[in-house]
Amino acid sequence: MLPFLRRRVLSSVVTVLGVLVIVFFLARLTGSPASLYLPEGASQERYDQFNRQYGFDQPLWVQFLTFLKGAVQLDFGESIWQQRPALQAAVAAMGPTLELSAVALGLSIVVAVVLGSIAATHRFRAADRLITLSSLTTASIPDFWFALVGVLIFAVNLRMLPTSGDATASAWILPVLTLMLSPVGVLTQVVRGAMIESLTSGYVQNARARGFAPARLTYRHALRNAALPIISVAGDKAAGMVNGAIIVGTVFAFPGIGTLIVGAVLNRDFAVIQASVFVVGIAVVLLNIVVDLIYAIADPRVRIS
């Protein structure tokens, strides 16, 4: 287990460092922060003072080395926009995004297991066809499209739900439903396929011959055998769910890391951009490692490979 974990950690560290390097140079393509924060007609002396204060007067390679040294020490500098440590702002914003992702993923798995099991036990009947058609449809449509349509229907036209914030339970409904739709579609099909294979296995057929109730056969015996592919796909969706929450959270002005990143880009706050990407990268990496460990525990062949 330890070599497996060591390989995953090392490859993840390289990935995060690579992303940080790319973000460092891309952030500086947005322009000079001084031209945004200083008033029009400010003197050259004010520009020089501003750039000196935040280190922008140094050559780019010096800024890059300073950034790498700070990243190793978890010091991403001070936010020009929010006037506080950039890493502190990013960590604070990441909490609501992870909560949103966890709620959406948990509900997605529950709904997909129920729908996939119903489709598998009613194979080729009307319920199976309806669930299959619905899941394939939701799995093929992008999140942001659902978000925009949801805002238009439930917030603008029907005025049933708020379009932004996280202060009330109703404010979570549209973001959670938007994040759920695509994972539910994919996971439902995975559960359906795995359950059909499991329900036709000799082990379950033997249990059926012994008179086990259909519900017990489905949810206790067949579902347990079908767990591995469900865990695998749910793990992939978990990482994608965090990225989706960043985009969806931005559409709904959810006070998470997505809204923070957009604000940082608009305000040319390089420190917050870099710290936010770092925090998101670490969160996704840790999530992937946890999923890999769960899968390795469930299937020992993963450790060998």
Side-chain angles (χ1 to χ4, degrees):
M1 182 65 76
L2 282 178
F4 174 81
L5 184 60
R6 193 182 304 118
R7 285 198 305 272
R8 295 291 291 120
V9 171
L10 287 176
S11 62
S12 300
V13 168
V14 172
T15 302
V16 171
L17 282 176
V19 171
L20 282 177
V21 170
I22 294 172
V23 168
F24 174 87
F25 290 104
L26 286 180
R28 277 148 183 82
L29 293 178
T30 59
S32 170
S35 61
L36 186 66
Y37 287 90
L38 295 181
E40 190 174 350
S43 64
Q44 185 61 42
E45 185 180 352
R46 290 285 307 278
Y47 274 89
D48 293 341
Q49 182 184 8
F50 181 93
N51 288 331
R52 191 163 49 251
Q53 178 181 353
Y54 292 101
F56 299 137
D57 60 330
Q58 300 294 320
L60 189 60
W61 67 271
V62 175
Q63 295 182 42
F64 180 63
L65 292 179
T66 304
F67 159 69
L68 285 182
K69 182 181 176 182
V72 171
Q73 299 172 344
L74 298 181
D75 179 10
F76 288 86
E78 193 81 8
S79 166
I80 307 175
W81 169 38
Q82 300 196 350
Q83 295 297 311
R84 61 171 174 164
L87 186 60
Q88 184 184 83
V91 171
M94 194 63 197
T97 299
L98 289 178
E99 290 177 15
L100 180 65
S101 305
V103 171
L105 180 62
L107 291 175
S108 298
I109 293 173
V110 172
V111 172
V113 166
V114 173
L115 292 180
S117 300
I118 293 174
T121 53
H122 296 75
R123 191 180 180 187
F124 300 139
R125 298 179 190 170
D128 179 26
R129 292 191 177 94
L130 179 61
I131 290 172
T132 299
L133 178 63
S134 303
S135 60
L136 291 176
T137 302
T138 56
S140 58
I141 299 178
D143 290 342
F144 69 87
W145 188 87
F146 279 122
L148 296 176
V149 171
V151 169
L152 185 64
I153 295 176
F154 296 104
V156 177
N157 290 335
L158 300 179
R159 298 182 182 278
M160 294 172 58
L161 298 170
T163 58
S164 62
D166 68 339
T168 61
S170 59
W172 285 63
I173 294 177
L174 279 178
V176 168
L177 286 178
T178 301
L179 280 173
M180 283 178 59
L181 287 173
S182 178
V184 164
V186 174
L187 282 169
T188 297
Q189 286 304 300
V190 173
V191 173
R192 178 185 179 275
M195 287 291 285
I196 288 175
E197 184 178 350
S198 185
L199 285 169
T200 55
S201 66
Y203 172 77
V204 175
Q205 294 293 339
N206 182 47
R208 182 179 286 113
R210 293 168 58 189
F212 283 87
R216 186 177 179 184
L217 270 176
T218 302
Y219 293 103
R220 183 169 180 179
H221 297 281
L223 186 59
R224 181 180 297 176
N225 290 343
L228 276 180
I230 299 172
I231 292 173
S232 178
V233 177
D236 289 340
K237 286 296 169 187
M241 190 76 79
V242 174
N243 294 326
I246 294 173
I247 299 172
V248 171
T250 304
V251 174
F252 289 105
F254 192 83
I257 197 78
T259 304
L260 181 70
I261 291 175
V262 171
V265 171
L266 293 176
N267 288 282
R268 295 177 189 171
D269 195 338
F270 300 159
V272 171
I273 295 172
Q274 292 156 181
S276 299
V277 171
F278 173 77
V279 170
V280 172
I282 292 296
V284 172
V285 163
L286 290 178
L287 193 58
N288 282 328
I289 290 176
V290 170
V291 171
D292 285 345
L293 288 175
I294 293 174
Y295 197 75
I297 292 170
D299 185 358
R301 291 171 298 179
V302 174
R303 280 172 279 178
I304 296 173
S305 61

